[in-house]
Amino acid sequence: MVKLYRFFSRFEQNFHLGRATIIIAVLTLLSRIFGFMRDLLLAKNLGLSSQTDIYFSAFRVPDLIYNLLILGTLSAAFIPVFTKYYLKDKNEAWKIANSVLNIAVVGVGALSVVVFVLAKPLTKIIAPGFEGPEFDQTVALTRILLLSPIIFTVSNVFSSTLLSFKKFIWVNTAPLLYNLGILMGILFLHPHFGLKGIAAGVIAGALMHALIQLPQLIQLGWSWRPKWDWKNAGVQQIVKLFIPRVLGLDISYVNLVIVTIIGSTLATGTIAAYNFANNIQAVPLGIFAISTALAVFPVLSEEYAKKELNSFINTFNRAFVRIVYLILPVSIMLLLLRAYIVRLLLGYGKCDWTCTITTFDTLGVLSLSLIAQSLIPLLSRAFYARQNTRIPVFIGLAAMLINAGLSYTLSFGLGILGVALGFVVASMFQLLFLIIYLHRGLQHDLRNQKIIRESDYYIVFNCSKILVSALITGCVAYGLLYLFALIFDTHTIAGIFLQTGLSSIIAGLVYLLLTAWMGVPDAARIKTTLNRMASFFNVSA
């Protein structure tokens, strides 16, 4: 473990945006693989049952606390301010970090105690369709899971501090350990303790999530101090950025709350089906989009703090095009291959054909919003790097209202698919207005129309080439599915795997060749990397 830590430390010494993105993507992929295993075991052991609905519903209130106050909220306010102070006075920056940690833990802890007492009425709001044993079990599970937001608060302050130093490896190893804890709960504790055993695995995973980051943080110079300095200018600045951001709760999480409220009144297993579909489409979102946004955020914050606006725009543009390049073909493939993917990942044990159909129908609708979901984190962080939290908050609030209204209305005729469609429309709305207002903000900051026009041209020109390539790739993948259906027995898992896998690989190669031929920057980088690898193996041979 010590040798691994030293190796990772050397690897991170010289920061490079592309390398950081790859690190985060690879670790996110490993974490998502563990997440797939978690969902596979849940689907196999529980299927679309009331127990699965209870499990996902019990997360809603504890996760609401964490998502509302900490996740994406604290880091968005903390990183720009900590970075600015660290460049001037290291000791002052560490004082700010300790004050924020202590204030956040006490605040979240106090709120968790209140929620523990009010768990019954809150569960009635979150899951109005649950009654009797289902309701009681959800309340009990919720109270156990209330330990997780407190632990994750500590972990998030650790993560935000490490990200300020452009340290990504241990921050992104932490989710892997969290999923490992849940897997252990499912495999070893659930057979003896039921859902409470899985909840214990969640708490164990949260502890590992925090502790894995501690050694590197100590090495960078942090040590805990009982600081509680409300009057510190840096702390006050973080609070000013933090309060508006709280109101801008992530629309994707709000949608999960809406799903739980509406889904508890629909057929049994509705909540579970949506969560399974959401977890599948979150894989490319985490690997390609969130990894890029996380890697680029400290860079954007530092460039804006130094008033290097040209570099800020160039960094943003490269990240924007990279996300579109990676996500657009994936969203098309996910739409086309959704039935095969769900059958391969979840079609075992108690997850019967009804379970599979409901999940892949929901996944198909959600895939339509994947490009919007992928770009929103980058656009929001561009605002946060400029220390502007108001605009993304107002746009996010409007998107939430649209999401809630449409999801409720459409659920009457379309059920859970109506809820998913409401989320798609709200995500598109949020993306469009974030782009409009960020463009205006950059025009105001730079006051140089030539640079703005060049920036617009770079994004539109490259995204157009990506769109054409992705559509052609989708047609190729669709044709290959039918071709391989004639060759392989698609009534078996092996046949579906070969059909889906070969179609995806060949279509992916077609996409790479098309985008390289059209001169898309990221395709050129991939081509250069492959050429270097080929040269290396030729020389070795």
Side-chain angles (χ1 to χ4, degrees):
M1 188 69 180
V2 174
K3 290 182 179 179
L4 184 64
Y5 176 80
R6 289 175 179 170
F7 171 77
F8 282 164
S9 297
R10 288 194 299 270
F11 194 75
E12 286 183 319
Q13 280 178 357
N14 297 317
F15 177 81
H16 183 272
L17 181 58
R19 183 190 299 172
T21 304
I22 292 171
I23 291 171
I24 297 172
V26 170
L27 291 171
T28 302
L29 175 61
L30 292 173
S31 177
R32 297 300 183 182
I33 290 172
F34 276 64
F36 273 144
M37 294 170 64
R38 173 200 65 205
D39 285 352
L40 189 153
L41 289 173
L42 284 171
K44 182 180 179 181
N45 294 329
L46 303 176
L48 294 189
S49 65
S50 60
Q51 290 291 291
T52 325
D53 283 349
I54 290 167
Y55 171 77
F56 285 117
S57 299
F59 274 96
R60 294 290 77 89
V61 176
D63 279 0
L64 180 61
I65 297 173
Y66 177 60
N67 283 270
L68 180 65
L69 298 178
I70 304 300
L71 182 62
T73 302
L74 183 60
S75 61
F78 180 88
I79 291 175
V81 176
F82 181 85
T83 300
K84 183 176 72 174
Y85 272 84
Y86 193 84
L87 292 172
K88 297 177 181 178
D89 187 341
K90 295 180 181 179
N91 291 330
E92 187 67 17
W94 288 124
K95 289 178 183 178
I96 292 170
N98 272 309
S99 293
V100 170
L101 173 63
N102 296 331
I103 292 168
V105 169
V106 171
V108 171
L111 184 57
S112 297
V113 171
V114 173
V115 171
F116 185 93
V117 175
L118 301 176
K120 287 188 176 182
L122 287 172
T123 301
K124 200 63 182 175
I125 295 171
I126 293 294
F130 286 0
E131 296 179 353
E134 287 183 352
F135 177 80
D136 294 336
Q137 202 171 358
T138 306
V139 171
L141 210 61
T142 298
R143 285 174 168 162
I144 296 172
L145 293 173
L146 281 169
L147 283 171
S148 64
I150 302 172
I151 300 168
F152 277 125
T153 298
V154 176
S155 187
N156 188 270
V157 176
F158 289 174
S159 300
S160 300
T161 308
L162 290 175
L163 289 173
S164 300
F165 289 98
K166 304 184 184 71
K167 304 297 183 183
F168 299 93
I169 293 181
W170 294 112
V171 172
N172 290 279
T173 303
L176 192 153
L177 296 179
Y178 173 61
N179 280 324
L180 178 61
I182 300 176
L183 275 173
M184 292 169 61
I186 297 171
L187 289 171
F188 302 113
L189 299 178
H190 175 256
H192 304 287
F193 305 102
L195 291 181
K196 290 182 179 179
I198 303 179
V202 172
I203 303 305
L207 284 169
M208 291 190 288
H209 190 285
L211 293 175
I212 193 65
Q213 303 175 70
L214 189 57
Q216 188 173 41
L217 194 62
I218 294 172
Q219 186 188 49
L220 289 169
W222 176 83
S223 59
W224 182 78
R225 295 288 185 272
K227 296 288 183 182
W228 189 277
D229 192 357
W230 279 98
K231 296 182 180 180
N232 184 288
V235 174
Q236 289 183 350
Q237 191 174 358
I238 290 172
V239 171
K240 287 179 183 178
L241 293 171
F242 171 83
I243 292 174
R245 180 68 184 98
V246 169
L247 299 174
L249 182 62
D250 187 357
I251 184 177
S252 61
Y253 183 73
V254 173
N255 189 60
L256 290 178
V257 176
I258 294 170
V259 167
T260 305
I261 294 171
I262 298 175
S264 68
T265 64
L266 300 174
T268 299
T270 298
I271 298 172
Y274 188 96
N275 277 273
F276 286 144
N278 184 64
N279 290 341
I280 292 172
Q281 63 103 34
V283 173
L285 180 64
I287 294 172
F288 301 127
I290 302 299
S291 61
T292 302
L294 285 175
V296 83
F297 184 36
V299 181
L300 291 174
S301 299
E302 185 174 326
E303 288 173 344
Y304 196 81
K306 293 179 177 179
K307 302 302 179 184
E308 297 173 353
L309 297 181
N310 285 353
S311 297
F312 179 95
I313 291 174
N314 289 334
T315 301
F316 174 82
N317 287 349
R318 290 197 304 272
F320 189 99
V321 171
R322 178 172 297 168
I323 289 173
V324 174
Y325 177 75
L326 296 170
I327 287 293
L328 191 56
V330 171
S331 62
I332 292 173
M333 297 292 285
L334 200 60
L335 178 63
L336 295 175
L337 303 176
R338 63 192 184 279
Y340 308 93
I341 293 170
V342 172
R343 286 177 67 189
L344 284 172
L345 295 176
L346 303 176
Y348 310 97
K350 294 185 179 180
C351 188
D352 56 15
W353 185 238
T354 302
C355 165
T356 305
I357 291 175
T358 307
T359 303
F360 75 62
D361 281 345
T362 307
L363 178 60
V365 177
L366 289 177
S367 66
L368 300 175
S369 68
L370 193 56
I371 190 68
Q373 291 183 70
S374 300
L375 289 171
I376 286 170
L378 173 66
L379 289 159
S380 298
R381 280 166 175 78
F383 278 102
Y384 304 150
R386 298 170 63 244
Q387 299 186 23
N388 182 340
T389 56
R390 289 174 296 176
I391 289 176
V393 163
F394 289 137
I395 294 173
L397 286 173
M400 287 180 203
L401 293 175
I402 292 171
N403 185 19
L406 280 177
S407 296
Y408 178 74
T409 303
L410 295 174
S411 68
F412 286 106
L414 299 173
I416 199 63
L417 297 183
V419 179
L421 188 58
F423 174 66
V424 170
V425 175
S427 298
M428 296 296 185
F429 167 87
Q430 188 176 12
L431 172 64
L432 176 63
F433 279 87
L434 282 173
I435 290 174
I436 291 171
Y437 278 94
L438 181 62
H439 192 271
R440 289 181 182 178
L442 292 175
Q443 282 181 318
H444 179 269
D445 287 343
L446 202 60
R447 300 183 185 279
N448 188 325
Q449 292 303 313
K450 181 181 178 182
I451 294 176
I452 295 296
R453 284 195 300 270
E454 289 175 352
S455 170
D456 293 344
Y457 178 79
Y458 178 86
I459 289 178
V460 172
F461 185 58
N462 283 294
C463 288
S464 299
K465 292 187 286 187
I466 292 168
L467 176 60
V468 172
S469 301
L471 290 174
I472 295 173
T473 300
C475 293
V476 171
Y478 196 68
L480 289 171
L481 283 175
Y482 282 95
L483 174 64
F484 289 130
L486 300 175
I487 300 172
F488 303 115
D489 182 3
T490 56
H491 293 91
T492 64
I493 292 297
I496 296 171
F497 179 79
L498 290 171
Q499 180 192 24
T500 308
L502 290 174
S503 299
S504 302
I505 291 170
I506 295 172
L509 290 173
V510 169
Y511 178 71
L512 179 59
L513 292 172
L514 282 171
T515 50
W517 177 68
M518 290 185 180
V520 177
D522 287 282
R525 294 188 190 101
I526 293 173
K527 184 179 177 181
T528 302
T529 302
L530 292 175
N531 287 337
R532 287 175 180 172
M533 290 174 64
S535 299
F536 171 80
F537 286 116
N538 286 335
V539 170
S540 298

